[in-house]
Amino acid sequence: MYSRSAFVRLAVGPRGRGRSAQLRMCKEVPLLSTDILGVTPTNGGAMVSCEVTKGSKKTQHTVIVGKEIISKICEGTGQIVDEPTMVKYVFDFFGEIKQDLTNTEGMVPVAEFPVNYFSIRQILAINDKAEGRLREMIASRSSSIAE
């Protein structure tokens, strides 16, 4: 299942001219998909292992998710999501900003964490739009569920 943020709308243009022109086809194509491979509980949250597919490329990641970060991001949305769901939102956000997912060296200094191993707290620290956008994603998802 993809969130709205992980889609690009493709429209195959109209044929013909004038009034007879019609939109022939419109479909949504996922930018990426995130499959959760495992969740390891920790004292403050969890470590979530996942595989992200973007086109024909697959990358594996381990993401540290703290419960306090989930509470902070979910504040005001009326929702609390679990750790694997938050990881999916993070990768949807990465898809939006076109973050290179081949490794996380570009996001986190490799001296601090091994490649493809990062925390959501670090993402919030290095990208000032991340918290607000993740909150919007969660809020829009909860409002579409309520409809």
Side-chain angles (χ1 to χ4, degrees):
M1 184 165 148
Y2 304 106
S3 73
R4 291 181 194 171
S5 63
F7 284 97
V8 171
R9 186 166 292 281
L10 295 180
V12 177
R15 289 193 177 190
R17 296 182 182 170
R19 293 184 187 185
S20 63
Q22 297 177 358
L23 185 63
R24 292 189 49 218
M25 176 174 64
C26 187
K27 67 179 185 174
E28 292 181 336
V29 178
L31 291 174
L32 55 87
S33 66
T34 305
D35 296 317
I36 303 301
L37 303 176
V39 178
T40 305
T42 64
N43 289 338
M47 290 190 339
V48 179
S49 298
C50 62
E51 181 175 80
V52 179
T53 305
K54 183 177 181 180
S56 62
K57 294 183 179 180
K58 291 186 179 198
T59 55
Q60 291 191 350
H61 307 268
T62 299
V63 184
I64 302 168
V65 187
K67 290 178 184 176
E68 76 285 350
I69 291 296
I70 290 177
S71 296
K72 180 180 179 182
I73 293 171
C74 291
E75 188 176 323
T77 65
Q79 298 285 81
I80 293 289
V81 298
D82 62 6
E83 290 90 349
T85 303
M86 183 59 73
V87 168
K88 288 183 178 192
Y89 281 121
V90 167
F91 281 102
D92 287 350
F93 173 70
F94 286 166
E96 285 182 359
I97 65 170
K98 297 177 176 51
Q99 176 69 47
D100 180 19
L101 298 177
T102 54
N103 61 48
T104 57
E105 287 181 68
M107 294 184 289
V108 181
V110 92
E112 292 179 31
F113 285 95
V115 175
N116 291 345
Y117 193 96
F118 62 93
S119 73
I120 293 178
R121 180 182 302 276
Q122 290 173 308
I123 302 311
L124 299 184
I126 63 174
N127 189 311
D128 59 349
K129 296 179 182 177
E131 183 177 341
R133 183 60 188 126
L134 290 169
R135 187 174 291 123
E136 288 172 9
M137 291 170 150
I138 293 166
S140 69
R141 178 70 179 149
S142 65
S143 66
S144 68
I145 291 172
E147 293 172 355

